[in-house]
Amino acid sequence: MLRKKLIAGNWKMNKTASESSTLAQEIVAAVGKQTDVEIVICPPFTSLESVGKIVDGSNVKLGAQNMHPEANGAYTGEIAAPMLRSLFATHVILGHSERRTYFGETDAFINKKTLAALKNQLRPILCVGETLAEREGGSTLKVVQTQLEGGLEGVSKDQITSVVIAYEPVWAIGTGKVATTEQAQEVHAFIRSLLAKMYGDAAAQKVRILYGGSMKPANAPELLTQKDIDGGLIGGASLEARSFVELITAASAASK
Ligand code: PEP
């Protein structure tokens, strides 16, 4: 298998440190020894340390939901890559549509974060995706291309295989509306073709492209068996161990 499936849970602004510990313990108990799927959980910053201790020694990895591009300095309220590394985070979600929409993050700013994450041995999960108006206006591929090229500017051929791309149609996030398998596969294949143009086919074949947007145990098997869908970035369904574990089971089955 060229690309191991990856299931990443984005807990967003949910769960106190103690609630996070409970959920992390349940996940580790159920899938901590899982080896055929890569598993990442991304709790809020305030839970990273406690969750990091719980996942330590298991196959569940720790991710953050955001970071600032600078290594330190006068950026009140922000968190830097070395701080995440010191808590043993391995991944960081960058450019999530909620960051773009509510916090005005641009491709240029997200690009700085991507480069900083890679410099600090953090694997970026770079999110791209169109709004409903953009899809209905026929500009999905153009929007995705701009976000992808902008976010990856300056990322080298050696670095690209450490990057995970998440295609998340904004209209499908938290809405219960899921992209059809054809809609998702079309954009995933397009992203891989762009990566091939930028980095060559061999590198493009190694990059994981996750789908995100109301992925649930019921729709996951069909999405996860598409040729270019290498896993999921999961919001709502990652907040309960049972549904998150079911998604990992679906990813495992889709890998066979
Ligand atoms: C997300 O926030 O990345 C996401 C995909 O959320 P949901 O699964 O709730 O749509």
Side-chain angles (χ1 to χ4, degrees), residues 8-12 93 96-98 127 166-177 211-216 232-239 247:
N10 174 12
W11 296 3
K12 308 194 187 188
I93 299 170
H96 191 281
S97 69
E98 287 151 16
C127 303
Y167 168 57
E168 301 208 300
V170 179
W171 48 273
I173 297 178
T175 59
K177 285 185 200 153
Y211 170 79
S214 300
M215 192 187 267
K216 309 274 182 237
L233 179 54
I234 318 296
S238 72
L239 292 174
L247 289 167

Side-chain angles (χ1 to χ4, degrees), residues 67-84:
M67 55 167 254
H68 193 276
E70 297 300 327
N72 52 55
Y75 299 99
T76 301
E78 291 293 322
I79 303 283
M83 298 172 184
L84 300 178

Side-chain angles (χ1 to χ4, degrees), residues 28-169:
V28 168
V31 290
K33 293 192 166 63
Q34 171 75 256
T35 52
D36 54 354
V37 177
E38 194 170 338
I39 304 162
V40 182
I41 52 178
C42 306
F45 289 136
T46 46
S47 302
L48 282 173
E49 185 164 15
S50 53
V51 169
K53 288 185 179 140
I54 291 163
V55 300
D56 186 28
S58 80
N59 283 330
V60 178
K61 294 178 177 147
L62 184 67
Q65 298 173 19
N66 184 30
M67 55 167 254
H68 193 276
E70 297 300 327
N72 52 55
Y75 299 99
T76 301
E78 291 293 322
I79 303 283
M83 298 172 184
L84 300 178
R85 284 299 295 151
S86 76
L87 293 178
F88 307 105
T90 52
H91 291 69
V92 59
I93 299 170
L94 297 178
H96 191 281
S97 69
E98 287 151 16
R99 303 280 336 155
R100 294 177 190 261
T101 306
Y102 305 137
F103 304 97
E105 292 197 6
T106 61
D107 288 326
F109 189 50
I110 295 161
N111 176 241
K112 283 190 189 165
K113 298 183 189 208
T114 304
L115 296 173
L118 289 166
K119 195 172 152 198
N120 286 279
Q121 286 80 49
L122 279 166
R123 290 172 180 263
I125 302 176
L126 174 64
C127 303
V128 298
E130 82 287 359
T131 62
L132 187 58
E134 289 162 343
R135 176 160 281 271
E136 289 176 349
S139 57
T140 296
L141 300 185
K142 190 167 163 285
V143 168
V144 166
Q145 178 164 6
T146 303
Q147 292 177 345
L148 190 81
E149 289 175 352
L152 292 178
E153 182 141 12
V155 172
S156 71
K157 198 170 173 171
D158 285 345
Q159 289 173 317
I160 191 63
T161 49
S162 298
V163 177
V164 176
I165 307 293
Y167 168 57
E168 301 208 300

